[in-house]
Coordinates of all heavy atoms in Angstrom, one line a residue:
Chain B
P149 N 17.1 30.9 1.7 CA 16.4 29.7 1.1 C 17.2 28.4 1.3 O 18.4 28.4 1.4 CB 16.5 30.1 -0.4 CG 17.5 31.2 -0.5 CD 17.5 31.8 0.8
R150 N 16.4 27.4 1.4 CA 17.0 26.1 1.8 C 17.3 25.4 0.5 O 16.4 24.9 -0.1 CB 16.1 25.3 2.6 CG 15.8 26.1 3.9 CD 14.7 25.3 4.8 NE 14.5 26.0 6.0 CZ 13.7 25.5 7.0 NH1 13.2 24.4 6.8 NH2 13.5 26.2 8.1
T151 N 18.6 25.3 0.2 CA 19.0 24.5 -1.0 C 20.2 23.7 -0.6 O 21.0 24.1 0.2 CB 19.3 25.4 -2.2 OG1 20.2 26.4 -1.8 CG2 18.0 26.1 -2.7
K152 N 20.3 22.6 -1.3 CA 21.6 21.9 -1.2 C 22.1 21.7 -2.7 O 21.3 21.5 -3.6 CB 21.2 20.5 -0.7 CG 21.8 20.1 0.6 CD 21.8 18.6 0.8 CE 20.9 18.1 1.9 NZ 20.9 16.7 2.0
E153 N 23.4 21.7 -2.8 CA 24.0 21.5 -4.1 C 24.6 20.2 -4.2 O 25.3 19.7 -3.3 CB 25.0 22.6 -4.4 CG 24.4 23.9 -4.7 CD 25.2 24.9 -5.6 OE1 26.3 24.5 -5.9 OE2 24.6 25.9 -6.0
V154 N 24.4 19.5 -5.3 CA 25.0 18.2 -5.5 C 25.6 18.1 -7.0 O 25.0 18.7 -7.8 CB 24.0 17.1 -5.2 CG1 22.9 17.0 -6.2 CG2 24.7 15.7 -5.1
V155 N 26.6 17.4 -7.2 CA 27.3 17.3 -8.5 C 26.9 16.0 -9.1 O 27.2 15.0 -8.5 CB 28.7 17.5 -8.4 CG1 29.3 17.3 -9.8 CG2 29.1 18.8 -7.9
I156 N 26.2 16.0 -10.1 CA 25.7 14.8 -10.8 C 26.4 14.7 -12.1 O 26.1 15.6 -13.0 CB 24.1 14.7 -10.9 CG1 23.5 14.8 -9.6 CG2 23.8 13.5 -11.7 CD1 22.0 14.9 -9.7
N157 N 27.2 13.7 -12.3 CA 27.8 13.6 -13.7 C 28.5 14.8 -14.2 O 28.4 15.2 -15.3 CB 26.8 13.1 -14.8 CG 26.7 11.6 -14.8 OD1 27.6 10.9 -14.3 ND2 25.7 11.1 -15.3
G158 N 29.1 15.6 -13.4 CA 29.7 16.8 -13.8 C 28.9 18.0 -13.7 O 29.4 19.2 -13.9
Q159 N 27.6 17.9 -13.6 CA 26.7 19.0 -13.6 C 26.3 19.4 -12.2 O 25.9 18.5 -11.4 CB 25.5 18.8 -14.4 CG 25.7 18.8 -15.9 CD 25.8 20.3 -16.4 OE1 25.0 21.2 -16.1 NE2 26.8 20.6 -17.3
T160 N 26.3 20.7 -11.8 CA 25.8 21.1 -10.4 C 24.3 21.2 -10.4 O 23.7 22.0 -11.2 CB 26.5 22.4 -10.1 OG1 27.8 22.3 -10.3 CG2 26.3 22.6 -8.6
V161 N 23.6 20.4 -9.6 CA 22.2 20.4 -9.5 C 21.8 21.0 -8.1 O 22.4 20.5 -7.1 CB 21.6 19.0 -9.7 CG1 20.1 19.0 -9.5 CG2 22.0 18.6 -11.1
K162 N 20.8 21.8 -8.1 CA 20.4 22.3 -6.8 C 19.1 21.5 -6.3 O 18.2 21.4 -7.0 CB 19.9 23.8 -6.9 CG 20.9 24.8 -6.6 CD 20.3 26.2 -6.4 CE 21.4 27.2 -6.1 NZ 20.9 28.5 -6.4
L163 N 19.3 21.1 -5.0 CA 18.1 20.3 -4.5 C 17.4 21.3 -3.6 O 18.0 21.9 -2.7 CB 18.6 19.2 -3.7 CG 19.5 18.1 -4.3 CD1 19.8 17.0 -3.4 CD2 18.7 17.5 -5.5
K164 N 16.1 21.4 -3.7 CA 15.4 22.4 -3.0 C 14.7 21.7 -1.9 O 14.3 20.6 -2.0 CB 14.3 23.1 -3.9 CG 14.9 23.9 -5.0 CD 14.0 25.0 -5.4 CE 14.5 25.6 -6.7 NZ 14.0 24.9 -7.8
Y165 N 14.5 22.5 -0.8 CA 13.8 22.0 0.3 C 12.3 22.2 0.2 O 11.8 23.4 -0.2 CB 14.2 22.7 1.6 CG 13.6 22.2 2.9 CD1 14.0 21.0 3.5 CD2 12.6 23.0 3.6 CE1 13.4 20.5 4.6 CE2 12.1 22.6 4.7 CZ 12.5 21.4 5.2 OH 11.9 20.9 6.4
C166 N 11.4 21.2 0.4 CA 10.0 21.4 0.2 C 9.4 21.7 1.5 O 9.5 20.8 2.5 CB 9.4 20.1 -0.4 SG 7.6 20.2 -0.6
F167 N 8.8 22.8 1.7 CA 8.2 23.3 3.0 C 7.0 22.4 3.4 O 6.7 22.2 4.6 CB 7.9 24.7 3.0 CG 9.1 25.6 3.0 CD1 9.5 26.2 1.9 CD2 9.7 25.8 4.3 CE1 10.7 27.0 2.0 CE2 10.8 26.6 4.3 CZ 11.3 27.2 3.2
T168 N 6.3 21.9 2.4 CA 5.1 21.1 2.7 C 5.5 19.7 3.2 O 4.9 19.2 4.2 CB 4.2 21.0 1.5 OG1 4.0 22.4 0.9 CG2 2.8 20.6 1.8
C169 N 6.3 19.1 2.3 CA 6.7 17.7 2.7 C 7.8 17.6 3.6 O 8.2 16.5 4.1 CB 7.0 17.0 1.4 SG 5.7 17.1 0.2
K170 N 8.6 18.7 3.8 CA 9.7 18.7 4.8 C 10.8 17.9 4.5 O 11.3 17.2 5.3 CB 9.2 18.5 6.3 CG 8.1 19.4 6.7 CD 8.2 19.8 8.2 CE 7.1 20.6 8.7 NZ 6.9 21.8 8.0
I171 N 11.1 17.8 3.1 CA 12.2 17.0 2.8 C 13.0 17.8 1.7 O 12.5 18.8 1.2 CB 11.8 15.7 2.0 CG1 10.8 16.0 0.8 CG2 11.1 14.8 3.0 CD1 10.5 14.9 0.0
F172 N 14.2 17.4 1.4 CA 14.9 17.9 0.4 C 14.6 17.1 -0.9 O 14.7 15.8 -0.9 CB 16.5 17.8 0.6 CG 17.1 19.0 1.2 CD1 17.2 18.9 2.7 CD2 17.3 20.2 0.6 CE1 17.8 20.0 3.3 CE2 17.8 21.3 1.4 CZ 18.0 21.2 2.6
R173 N 14.0 17.8 -1.9 CA 13.5 17.0 -3.0 C 14.6 16.3 -3.7 O 15.6 16.9 -4.0 CB 12.8 17.9 -4.0 CG 11.4 18.3 -3.6 CD 10.7 19.1 -4.7 NE 9.9 20.1 -4.0 CZ 9.9 21.4 -4.3 NH1 10.7 21.8 -5.2 NH2 9.3 22.2 -3.6
P174 N 14.5 15.1 -4.1 CA 15.6 14.4 -5.0 C 15.6 15.1 -6.3 O 14.6 15.9 -6.7 CB 15.0 13.0 -5.2 CG 13.9 12.9 -4.3 CD 13.4 14.1 -3.8
P175 N 16.7 15.0 -7.0 CA 16.8 15.7 -8.3 C 15.7 15.1 -9.2 O 15.3 14.0 -9.2 CB 18.2 15.3 -8.8 CG 18.7 14.2 -8.0 CD 17.9 14.3 -6.7
R176 N 15.1 16.1 -10.0 CA 14.0 15.8 -10.9 C 12.7 15.7 -10.3 O 11.7 15.5 -11.0 CB 14.3 14.6 -11.8 CG 15.6 14.6 -12.4 CD 15.8 13.5 -13.5 NE 15.5 14.0 -14.8 CZ 15.6 13.4 -15.9 NH1 15.8 12.0 -15.9 NH2 15.4 13.9 -17.1
A177 N 12.6 15.8 -9.0 CA 11.3 15.7 -8.3 C 10.8 17.1 -8.3 O 11.5 18.1 -8.3 CB 11.5 15.0 -6.9
S178 N 9.5 17.1 -8.2 CA 8.8 18.5 -8.1 C 7.6 18.4 -7.3 O 7.0 17.3 -7.1 CB 8.6 19.0 -9.4 OG 8.3 20.4 -9.4

Side-chain angles (χ1 to χ4, degrees):
Chain B
R150 298 175 177 189
T151 54
K152 241 199 246 181
E153 285 205 355
V154 68
V155 177
I156 299 174
N157 270 343
Q159 284 282 315
T160 312
V161 175
K162 261 196 183 160
L163 302 184
K164 295 207 193 87
Y165 181 76
C166 180
F167 286 101
T168 314
C169 305
K170 304 219 186 300
I171 55 170
F172 274 99
R173 280 185 219 129
R176 312 189 99 179
S178 193

